[in-house]
Amino acid sequence: MTTTRRPGSETRAEILRVALELFTERGFEGASIRDIAEALGMTKSSLYYHFDGKEAIIQALLDSRRAEFDDLMSWIDTQEPGPELLRGAALRWVESTTPQRIMAMRFAHANGPMMARLAAQGGNIRSWFDDVINRILPPGAPVSERLLARMAFDSVSAALFAAQAQPAGDEEVLAAARAATIALTAPGPA
Amino acid sequence: MTTTRRPGSETRAEILRVALELFTERGFEGASIRDIAEALGMTKSSLYYHFDGKEAIIQALLDSRRAEFDDLMSWIDTQEPGPELLRGAALRWVESTTPQRIMAMRFAHANGPMMARLAAQGGNIRSWFDDVINRILPPGAPVSERLLARMAFDSVSAALFAAQAQPAGDEEVLAAARAATIALTAPGPA
DNA sequence: GTCTATAGGACGATAGAC
DNA sequence: GTCTATCGTCCTATAGAC
């Protein structure tokens, strides 16, 4: 599942795991490199041996999310276009949610400005979905319909957001997300 | 619309306006007091004359959002309970969306950790909605149904989130949100 | 690979003159 | 009500010993 597997790179994976956790909990600016290093039982300097800096950690986290998205895209390519493709693709995306993806979504919720900054650089997960929407919806679809389509893909994210105040287990979140995706892709009114 | 209107407090309102803008754009930690002061054409120290500190600014921003929510609550009290109350209340909330509320939602998206911290202190907007959900849904409603109900109220927020990658005007966002609220409160399956 | 030590800057906040 | 000057703390990042 990891990209490169040269010996001794488990430390890198551990750093990424802890960094993702702290960036999600306190935000990118709120969690310092010192915090991450101490949570790992090492010093800042040791961490700088593994990563060039804070930005490099974020970039590595983003890179590790790309594969799942490419899977969705190539699946869509095998389907024939039509009005049911939206619901099929969105449901497929929602139902293939992994714990890692949930963590990535929590990270995104905790770091809106940083995700926007990355989007401006072109490397953002959210901008990847522009291609999906363009491939599924007819070219002349109105903006509000495009937004609704995106919300169908985003329903896990929305359910997680809702669960911030109403604590819920991952299964209950996914159940709500699945129901929302179906509701948002109901045929008929748009 | 403001709470106290003593002479000379327009400066306070201006500070709040600029602070909300910068906190949304860069995040709470990403926008310094110096940034806010310079955007206002004054120095840090002058800003400290009007507000005790960064936290006090956030608190004032939250306080100014309370009235709209109280309106919703008292309206709900005038309605008789029933399965249609959820849709009615959520639609009322969505359709009463003001530009100020949209800015507050953008702020919330940009500051997840801070909103969570405020929620732990009890002063959070999102925790206010627990009361709404409790008043509308039957006591024994399953968690996933509670999440769906909350998502219906959150649909403007979700549409704004979707619009981060697909630029859209406020009216198109609201149109998508209205459609989502209706879809999410459809009678029948739960 | 990990450490100590430190550079250099930005931050929130305060003191006190005007 | 606004300013200059400053304090102490925290930050990212680097240099260099082991």
Coordinates of all heavy atoms in Angstrom, one line a residue, chain A residues 90-169:
Chain A
A90 N -21.1 7.6 -6.9 CA -21.0 8.2 -5.6 C -21.2 7.1 -4.5 O -20.5 7.1 -3.5 CB -22.1 9.2 -5.4
L91 N -22.1 6.1 -4.8 CA -22.3 5.0 -3.8 C -21.0 4.2 -3.7 O -20.6 3.7 -2.6 CB -23.5 4.2 -4.2 CG -24.8 4.6 -3.5 CD1 -25.9 3.6 -4.0 CD2 -24.7 4.6 -2.0
R92 N -20.4 3.9 -4.9 CA -19.2 3.2 -4.9 C -18.1 3.8 -4.0 O -17.4 3.2 -3.3 CB -18.7 3.0 -6.3 CG -17.5 2.0 -6.4 CD -17.0 2.0 -7.8 NE -15.7 1.3 -7.9 CZ -15.5 0.0 -8.1 NH1 -16.6 -0.7 -8.2 NH2 -14.3 -0.5 -8.1
W93 N -18.0 5.2 -4.2 CA -17.0 5.9 -3.5 C -17.3 5.9 -2.0 O -16.4 5.6 -1.2 CB -17.0 7.4 -4.0 CG -16.0 8.3 -3.3 CD1 -16.3 9.3 -2.5 CD2 -14.6 8.2 -3.3 NE1 -15.2 9.9 -2.0 CE2 -14.1 9.2 -2.5 CE3 -13.7 7.4 -4.0 CZ2 -12.7 9.5 -2.3 CZ3 -12.3 7.6 -3.8 CH2 -11.9 8.6 -3.0
V94 N -18.6 6.1 -1.6 CA -18.9 6.1 -0.2 C -18.7 4.7 0.4 O -18.2 4.6 1.5 CB -20.4 6.5 0.0 CG1 -20.9 6.2 1.4 CG2 -20.5 8.0 -0.4
E95 N -19.1 3.7 -0.3 CA -19.0 2.3 0.3 C -17.6 1.8 0.3 O -17.3 0.8 0.9 CB -19.9 1.4 -0.4 CG -21.3 1.5 0.2 CD -22.4 0.9 -0.7 OE1 -22.1 0.3 -1.8 OE2 -23.6 1.1 -0.4
S96 N -16.7 2.4 -0.4 CA -15.3 2.0 -0.4 C -14.5 2.8 0.6 O -13.2 2.8 0.6 CB -14.6 2.1 -1.8 OG -14.5 3.5 -2.1
T97 N -15.2 3.5 1.5 CA -14.5 4.3 2.5 C -13.7 3.5 3.5 O -14.2 2.5 4.0 CB -15.5 5.1 3.3 OG1 -16.3 5.9 2.5 CG2 -14.8 6.0 4.3
T98 N -12.4 3.8 3.6 CA -11.5 3.1 4.5 C -11.3 4.0 5.8 O -11.5 5.2 5.7 CB -10.2 2.8 3.9 OG1 -9.6 4.1 3.5 CG2 -10.3 2.0 2.6
P99 N -10.8 3.4 6.8 CA -10.5 4.2 8.0 C -9.4 5.3 7.7 O -9.5 6.4 8.2 CB -9.9 3.1 9.0 CG -10.5 1.9 8.6 CD -10.7 1.9 7.1
Q100 N -8.5 4.9 6.8 CA -7.5 5.9 6.4 C -8.2 7.1 5.7 O -7.8 8.3 5.9 CB -6.5 5.3 5.5 CG -5.5 4.3 6.1 CD -6.1 3.0 6.4 OE1 -7.1 2.6 5.7 NE2 -5.6 2.3 7.4
R101 N -9.2 6.8 4.9 CA -9.8 7.9 4.2 C -10.6 8.8 5.2 O -10.7 10.0 5.1 CB -10.8 7.4 3.1 CG -11.2 8.5 2.2 CD -11.4 7.9 0.8 NE -12.7 7.5 0.5 CZ -13.1 6.5 -0.2 NH1 -12.2 5.7 -0.8 NH2 -14.4 6.3 -0.4
I102 N -11.2 8.1 6.2 CA -11.9 8.9 7.2 C -10.9 9.8 8.0 O -11.2 11.0 8.2 CB -12.6 7.9 8.2 CG1 -13.8 7.3 7.6 CG2 -13.0 8.7 9.5 CD1 -14.6 6.4 8.5
M103 N -9.7 9.3 8.2 CA -8.7 10.2 8.9 C -8.4 11.3 8.0 O -8.2 12.5 8.5 CB -7.5 9.4 9.3 CG -7.8 8.4 10.4 SD -6.2 7.6 11.0 CE -5.4 9.0 11.8
A104 N -8.2 11.1 6.7 CA -7.9 12.1 5.8 C -9.0 13.2 5.7 O -8.7 14.4 5.6 CB -7.6 11.6 4.4
M105 N -10.2 12.8 5.8 CA -11.3 13.7 5.8 C -11.3 14.6 7.1 O -11.6 15.8 7.0 CB -12.7 13.0 5.7 CG -12.9 12.4 4.3 SD -14.5 11.5 4.2 CE -14.4 10.9 2.5
R106 N -11.1 13.9 8.2 CA -11.0 14.7 9.4 C -9.9 15.7 9.4 O -10.0 16.8 9.8 CB -10.7 13.7 10.6 CG -11.9 12.9 11.0 CD -11.7 12.3 12.4 NE -12.3 11.0 12.6 CZ -13.5 10.8 13.0 NH1 -14.3 11.8 13.4 NH2 -14.0 9.6 13.1
F107 N -8.8 15.3 8.8 CA -7.7 16.2 8.6 C -8.1 17.4 7.7 O -7.8 18.6 8.1 CB -6.5 15.5 7.9 CG -5.4 16.4 7.4 CD1 -4.4 16.9 8.3 CD2 -5.4 16.9 6.1 CE1 -3.4 17.7 7.9 CE2 -4.4 17.7 5.7 CZ -3.4 18.2 6.5
A108 N -8.8 17.1 6.7 CA -9.3 18.2 5.8 C -10.2 19.2 6.5 O -10.1 20.4 6.4 CB -10.0 17.6 4.6
H109 N -11.1 18.6 7.4 CA -12.0 19.5 8.2 C -11.2 20.4 9.1 O -11.6 21.5 9.4 CB -12.9 18.6 9.0 CG -14.1 18.1 8.2 ND1 -14.8 16.9 8.6 CD2 -14.7 18.5 7.1 CE1 -15.7 16.7 7.7 NE2 -15.7 17.6 6.8
A110 N -10.1 19.8 9.6 CA -9.3 20.6 10.6 C -8.4 21.6 9.9 O -7.8 22.4 10.6 CB -8.5 19.6 11.5
N111 N -8.3 21.5 8.6 CA -7.3 22.4 7.9 C -7.8 23.0 6.6 O -7.2 22.8 5.6 CB -6.0 21.5 7.7 CG -5.3 21.1 8.9 OD1 -4.6 21.9 9.6 ND2 -5.5 19.9 9.4
G112 N -8.9 23.6 6.8 CA -9.5 24.2 5.6 C -8.6 25.2 4.8 O -8.4 25.0 3.6
P113 N -8.0 26.1 5.5 CA -7.1 27.1 4.7 C -5.9 26.4 4.0 O -5.6 26.7 2.9 CB -6.6 28.0 5.8 CG -7.6 27.9 6.9 CD -8.1 26.5 6.9
M114 N -5.4 25.3 4.7 CA -4.3 24.6 4.1 C -4.7 23.8 2.8 O -4.1 23.8 1.8 CB -3.6 23.7 5.1 CG -3.2 22.4 4.5 SD -1.6 22.0 5.2 CE -0.7 23.4 4.7
M115 N -5.9 23.2 2.9 CA -6.4 22.5 1.7 C -6.7 23.5 0.6 O -6.5 23.2 -0.6 CB -7.7 21.8 2.1 CG -7.6 20.7 3.2 SD -6.4 19.4 2.8 CE -7.3 18.4 1.7
A116 N -7.2 24.7 0.9 CA -7.4 25.7 -0.1 C -6.1 26.1 -0.7 O -6.0 26.3 -2.0 CB -8.1 26.9 0.5
R117 N -5.1 26.2 0.1 CA -3.8 26.6 -0.4 C -3.2 25.6 -1.4 O -2.7 25.8 -2.5 CB -2.8 26.8 0.7 CG -2.0 28.1 0.6 CD -1.0 28.2 1.7 NE 0.0 27.1 1.7 CZ 0.5 26.5 2.8 NH1 0.0 26.9 4.0 NH2 1.4 25.6 2.7
L118 N -3.4 24.3 -1.0 CA -2.9 23.2 -1.8 C -3.7 23.2 -3.1 O -3.2 22.8 -4.2 CB -3.1 21.9 -1.1 CG -2.1 21.7 0.1 CD1 -2.4 20.5 0.9 CD2 -0.6 21.6 -0.5
A119 N -5.0 23.5 -3.0 CA -5.9 23.5 -4.2 C -5.4 24.5 -5.2 O -5.4 24.2 -6.4 CB -7.3 23.7 -3.8
A120 N -4.9 25.6 -4.7 CA -4.4 26.7 -5.6 C -3.2 26.2 -6.3 O -2.9 26.6 -7.4 CB -4.1 27.9 -4.8
Q121 N -2.4 25.3 -5.6 CA -1.2 24.8 -6.3 C -1.6 23.6 -7.2 O -0.7 23.1 -7.9 CB -0.2 24.3 -5.2 CG 0.3 25.4 -4.3 CD 1.1 24.9 -3.2 OE1 1.4 23.7 -3.1 NE2 1.4 25.8 -2.2
G122 N -2.8 23.1 -7.2 CA -3.2 22.1 -8.1 C -3.1 20.7 -7.5 O -3.6 19.7 -8.2
G123 N -2.6 20.5 -6.3 CA -2.4 19.1 -5.8 C -3.4 18.7 -4.9 O -3.3 17.7 -4.2
N124 N -4.6 19.3 -4.9 CA -5.6 19.0 -3.9 C -6.5 17.9 -4.2 O -6.9 17.7 -5.4 CB -6.4 20.3 -3.6 CG -7.4 20.1 -2.5 OD1 -7.9 19.0 -2.3 ND2 -7.5 21.1 -1.7
I125 N -6.9 17.1 -3.2 CA -7.8 16.0 -3.4 C -9.1 16.5 -4.0 O -9.7 15.9 -4.9 CB -8.1 15.3 -2.0 CG1 -6.8 14.7 -1.5 CG2 -9.2 14.3 -2.2 CD1 -6.9 14.0 -0.2
R126 N -9.6 17.6 -3.4 CA -10.9 18.1 -3.8 C -11.0 18.5 -5.3 O -12.0 18.3 -5.9 CB -11.3 19.3 -2.9 CG -11.6 18.9 -1.5 CD -12.2 20.0 -0.7 NE -13.5 20.3 -1.2 CZ -14.6 19.5 -1.1 NH1 -14.5 18.4 -0.5 NH2 -15.8 19.9 -1.5
S127 N -9.9 19.0 -5.8 CA -9.9 19.4 -7.2 C -9.8 18.2 -8.1 O -10.2 18.3 -9.3 CB -8.7 20.3 -7.5 OG -7.5 19.6 -7.3
W128 N -9.4 17.1 -7.6 CA -9.4 15.8 -8.4 C -10.8 15.5 -8.8 O -11.1 15.0 -9.9 CB -8.9 14.6 -7.6 CG -7.4 14.8 -7.2 CD1 -6.5 15.7 -7.6 CD2 -6.8 14.0 -6.2 NE1 -5.3 15.5 -7.0 CE2 -5.4 14.5 -6.1 CE3 -7.1 13.0 -5.3 CZ2 -4.5 13.9 -5.2 CZ3 -6.2 12.4 -4.5 CH2 -4.9 12.9 -4.4
F129 N -11.8 15.8 -7.9 CA -13.2 15.5 -8.2 C -13.8 16.3 -9.3 O -14.8 15.9 -9.8 CB -14.0 15.6 -6.9 CG -14.0 14.3 -6.1 CD1 -13.1 14.1 -5.1 CD2 -14.9 13.3 -6.4 CE1 -13.1 13.0 -4.3 CE2 -14.9 12.1 -5.7 CZ -14.0 12.0 -4.6
D130 N -13.2 17.4 -9.6 CA -13.7 18.1 -10.7 C -13.8 17.2 -12.0 O -14.7 17.3 -12.7 CB -12.8 19.3 -11.0 CG -13.0 20.5 -10.1 OD1 -14.1 20.4 -9.4 OD2 -12.2 21.4 -10.0
D131 N -12.7 16.4 -12.2 CA -12.7 15.5 -13.3 C -13.8 14.5 -13.2 O -14.5 14.2 -14.3 CB -11.4 14.8 -13.4 CG -10.2 15.8 -13.5 OD1 -10.4 16.9 -14.1 OD2 -9.1 15.4 -13.2
V132 N -14.1 14.0 -12.0 CA -15.2 13.0 -11.9 C -16.5 13.6 -12.3 O -17.2 13.1 -13.1 CB -15.2 12.5 -10.4 CG1 -16.5 11.6 -10.2 CG2 -14.0 11.8 -10.1
I133 N -16.8 14.8 -11.7 CA -18.1 15.5 -12.0 C -18.2 15.7 -13.5 O -19.2 15.5 -14.2 CB -18.2 16.8 -11.2 CG1 -18.1 16.5 -9.7 CG2 -19.5 17.5 -11.5 CD1 -19.2 15.8 -9.1
N134 N -17.1 16.2 -14.1 CA -17.1 16.5 -15.5 C -17.4 15.3 -16.4 O -18.0 15.4 -17.4 CB -15.8 17.2 -16.0 CG -15.7 18.6 -15.5 OD1 -16.7 19.3 -15.4 ND2 -14.5 19.1 -15.3
R135 N -16.9 14.1 -15.9 CA -17.1 12.9 -16.7 C -18.5 12.4 -16.6 O -19.0 11.7 -17.4 CB -16.0 11.9 -16.2 CG -15.7 10.9 -17.3 CD -14.4 10.1 -17.0 NE -13.2 11.0 -16.9 CZ -12.0 10.6 -17.0 NH1 -11.7 9.3 -17.2 NH2 -11.0 11.5 -17.0
I136 N -19.1 12.6 -15.4 CA -20.4 12.0 -15.2 C -21.6 12.9 -15.6 O -22.5 12.4 -16.2 CB -20.6 11.7 -13.6 CG1 -19.6 10.6 -13.3 CG2 -22.0 11.4 -13.3 CD1 -19.7 10.2 -11.8
L137 N -21.5 14.2 -15.3 CA -22.6 15.1 -15.7 C -22.5 15.6 -17.1 O -21.4 15.7 -17.6 CB -22.6 16.3 -14.7 CG -23.7 16.3 -13.6 CD1 -23.7 15.0 -12.9 CD2 -23.4 17.4 -12.6
P138 N -23.6 15.9 -17.7 CA -23.6 16.5 -19.1 C -22.9 17.8 -19.0 O -22.9 18.5 -18.0 CB -25.0 16.6 -19.5 CG -25.8 16.5 -18.2 CD -25.0 15.6 -17.3
P139 N -22.2 18.2 -20.1 CA -21.4 19.4 -20.1 C -22.1 20.7 -19.7 O -21.6 21.6 -19.1 CB -20.9 19.5 -21.6 CG -21.0 18.1 -22.1 CD -22.2 17.5 -21.4
G140 N -23.4 20.7 -20.1 CA -24.1 22.0 -19.8 C -24.9 22.0 -18.5 O -25.7 22.9 -18.3
A141 N -24.6 21.1 -17.6 CA -25.3 21.0 -16.4 C -25.2 22.3 -15.6 O -24.1 22.8 -15.5 CB -24.9 19.8 -15.6
P142 N -26.3 22.8 -14.9 CA -26.2 24.0 -14.2 C -25.3 23.8 -12.9 O -25.1 22.7 -12.4 CB -27.6 24.3 -13.8 CG -28.3 23.0 -13.9 CD -27.6 22.3 -15.0
V143 N -24.8 24.9 -12.4 CA -23.9 24.9 -11.3 C -24.5 24.2 -10.1 O -23.9 23.4 -9.4 CB -23.4 26.3 -10.9 CG1 -22.6 26.3 -9.7 CG2 -22.7 26.9 -12.1
S144 N -25.8 24.5 -9.8 CA -26.4 23.9 -8.6 C -26.5 22.4 -8.7 O -26.4 21.7 -7.7 CB -27.8 24.6 -8.3 OG -28.7 24.3 -9.4
E145 N -26.7 21.9 -9.9 CA -26.7 20.5 -10.1 C -25.3 19.9 -9.9 O -25.2 18.8 -9.3 CB -27.2 20.1 -11.5 CG -27.5 18.6 -11.7 CD -28.0 18.3 -13.1 OE1 -28.6 19.2 -13.7 OE2 -27.8 17.2 -13.5
R146 N -24.3 20.6 -10.3 CA -22.9 20.1 -10.1 C -22.6 20.1 -8.6 O -22.0 19.2 -8.1 CB -22.0 21.0 -10.9 CG -22.1 21.0 -12.4 CD -21.2 22.1 -13.0 NE -19.8 21.9 -12.8 CZ -19.0 21.1 -13.5 NH1 -19.5 20.5 -14.5 NH2 -17.8 21.0 -13.2
L147 N -23.1 21.1 -7.9 CA -22.9 21.2 -6.5 C -23.6 20.0 -5.8 O -23.0 19.3 -4.9 CB -23.4 22.5 -5.9 CG -22.6 23.7 -6.2 CD1 -23.3 25.0 -5.6 CD2 -21.2 23.6 -5.6
L148 N -24.8 19.7 -6.2 CA -25.5 18.6 -5.6 C -24.8 17.3 -5.8 O -24.7 16.4 -5.0 CB -26.9 18.5 -6.2 CG -28.1 19.0 -5.3 CD1 -29.4 18.7 -6.0 CD2 -28.0 18.5 -3.9
A149 N -24.3 17.1 -7.1 CA -23.5 15.9 -7.4 C -22.3 15.8 -6.5 O -22.0 14.7 -5.9 CB -23.1 15.9 -8.8
R150 N -21.6 16.9 -6.3 CA -20.4 16.8 -5.5 C -20.8 16.5 -4.0 O -20.1 15.8 -3.3 CB -19.7 18.2 -5.5 CG -18.5 18.2 -4.7 CD -17.6 19.3 -4.9 NE -16.3 18.8 -4.8 CZ -15.4 18.9 -5.8 NH1 -15.7 19.3 -7.0 NH2 -14.2 18.5 -5.6
M151 N -21.9 17.0 -3.6 CA -22.4 16.8 -2.2 C -22.7 15.3 -2.0 O -22.5 14.7 -0.9 CB -23.6 17.6 -1.9 CG -23.3 19.1 -1.7 SD -24.8 20.1 -1.7 CE -25.4 19.8 0.0
A152 N -23.1 14.6 -3.1 CA -23.4 13.2 -3.0 C -22.0 12.4 -2.7 O -22.0 11.5 -1.9 CB -24.0 12.7 -4.3
F153 N -21.0 12.8 -3.4 CA -19.7 12.2 -3.1 C -19.1 12.6 -1.8 O -18.4 11.9 -1.1 CB -18.7 12.6 -4.2 CG -18.8 11.9 -5.5 CD1 -19.6 12.5 -6.5 CD2 -18.2 10.7 -5.7 CE1 -19.8 11.8 -7.7 CE2 -18.4 10.0 -6.9 CZ -19.1 10.6 -7.9
D154 N -19.5 13.8 -1.3 CA -19.0 14.3 0.0 C -19.8 13.9 1.2 O -19.6 14.4 2.3 CB -19.0 15.9 -0.1 CG -17.9 16.4 -0.8 OD1 -16.9 15.7 -1.1 OD2 -17.9 17.7 -1.1
S155 N -20.8 13.0 1.0 CA -21.7 12.7 2.1 C -21.0 12.1 3.3 O -21.4 12.3 4.5 CB -22.9 11.9 1.7 OG -22.4 10.7 1.2
V156 N -19.9 11.4 3.1 CA -19.2 10.9 4.3 C -18.6 12.0 5.0 O -18.6 12.1 6.3 CB -18.1 9.8 3.9 CG1 -17.4 9.4 5.1 CG2 -18.7 8.7 3.1
S157 N -18.0 12.9 4.3 CA -17.4 14.1 4.9 C -18.5 14.9 5.7 O -18.3 15.3 6.8 CB -16.8 15.0 3.8 OG -16.3 16.2 4.4
A158 N -19.7 15.0 5.1 CA -20.7 15.8 5.7 C -21.2 15.1 7.0 O -21.5 15.7 8.0 CB -21.9 16.0 4.7
A159 N -21.3 13.7 6.9 CA -21.8 13.0 8.1 C -20.7 13.1 9.2 O -21.1 13.2 10.4 CB -22.0 11.5 7.7
L160 N -19.5 13.1 8.8 CA -18.4 13.2 9.9 C -18.5 14.6 10.5 O -18.4 14.7 11.7 CB -17.0 13.1 9.2 CG -16.5 11.7 9.0 CD1 -15.3 11.7 8.2 CD2 -16.2 11.0 10.4
F161 N -18.8 15.6 9.7 CA -19.0 16.9 10.2 C -20.2 17.0 11.2 O -20.1 17.6 12.3 CB -19.2 17.9 9.1 CG -19.1 19.3 9.4 CD1 -17.9 19.9 9.8 CD2 -20.3 20.1 9.4 CE1 -17.9 21.3 10.2 CE2 -20.2 21.5 9.7 CZ -19.0 22.0 10.1
A162 N -21.3 16.3 10.8 CA -22.4 16.3 11.7 C -22.1 15.6 13.0 O -22.7 15.9 14.0 CB -23.6 15.6 10.9
A163 N -21.2 14.6 12.9 CA -20.9 13.8 14.0 C -20.0 14.4 15.0 O -19.7 13.9 16.1 CB -20.3 12.4 13.6
Q164 N -19.5 15.6 14.7 CA -18.6 16.4 15.6 C -19.4 16.7 16.9 O -18.8 16.8 17.9 CB -18.1 17.6 14.9 CG -16.9 17.3 14.0 CD -16.4 18.6 13.3 OE1 -17.0 19.6 13.4 NE2 -15.3 18.4 12.6
A165 N -20.7 17.0 16.7 CA -21.4 17.5 17.9 C -22.2 16.3 18.5 O -22.5 16.2 19.7 CB -22.4 18.6 17.5
Q166 N -22.6 15.4 17.6 CA -23.4 14.2 18.0 C -22.5 13.0 17.9 O -22.4 12.4 16.8 CB -24.6 14.1 17.1 CG -25.3 12.7 17.1 CD -26.0 12.4 18.3 OE1 -26.9 13.2 18.8 NE2 -25.7 11.3 19.0
P167 N -21.8 12.7 18.9 CA -20.8 11.6 18.8 C -21.4 10.3 18.3 O -22.5 9.9 18.6 CB -20.3 11.4 20.2 CG -20.6 12.7 20.9 CD -21.9 13.2 20.3
A168 N -20.7 9.7 17.3 CA -21.2 8.5 16.7 C -20.0 7.6 16.2 O -18.9 8.1 16.0 CB -22.1 8.9 15.5
G169 N -20.3 6.3 16.1 CA -19.3 5.4 15.7 C -19.2 5.5 14.2 O -20.0 6.0 13.5

